[in-house]
Amino acid sequence: MSPSTVKSEQSTRAVSLRVRDEIRGLIDQAARIQGRSRSDFMIDAARRAAEETLLDQTLVRVDQETYERFLAVLDQPPTEAGYQRLMSAPTPWSD
């Protein structure tokens, strides 16, 4: 890679935010727990929120036959042993 290519791939831009003191303190506390800087913590949290938002907006188009098969699979009750074990496992909140 040429030096100009590396530079363009790694370029960053400043983003300025104003937050209330208690929110900044909360962010700082969480960042410290993870051993990260405030900026790294906030960038990662914002990136994950953006990805989740975009994934929630994904539209998958299929033909009618495929859609009907999909619905039929969803309507089938689970019967595998793993599902039975999962449903009979004790829950932490039922102690």
Side-chain angles (χ1 to χ4, degrees):
M1 254 185 239
S2 71
S4 63
T5 304
V6 172
K7 184 177 179 182
S8 67
E9 289 178 357
Q10 295 177 352
S11 65
T12 61
R13 293 185 182 210
V15 175
S16 181
L17 302 170
R18 294 191 176 277
V19 297
R20 295 188 316 265
D21 287 339
E22 64 269 15
I23 295 173
R24 181 177 171 166
L26 182 67
I27 292 167
D28 288 348
Q29 182 181 5
R32 271 193 308 276
I33 288 170
Q34 290 187 353
R36 302 166 73 185
S37 69
R38 178 189 310 132
S39 291
D40 286 344
F41 183 86
M42 292 177 69
I43 290 167
D44 186 54
R47 180 195 51 78
R48 281 186 281 119
E51 287 174 353
E52 289 174 15
T53 298
L54 294 174
L55 287 171
D56 285 345
Q57 299 302 309
T58 301
L59 176 65
V60 177
R61 294 178 188 254
V62 296
D63 59 56
Q64 188 65 34
E65 180 184 347
T66 302
Y67 179 68
E68 288 171 6
R69 278 189 288 151
F70 174 72
L71 291 179
V73 169
L74 290 179
D75 288 339
Q76 294 297 316
T79 57
E80 290 79 22
Y83 178 77
Q84 297 303 324
R85 278 194 317 274
L86 176 63
M87 291 295 102
S88 61
T91 57
W93 56 86
S94 63
D95 291 336

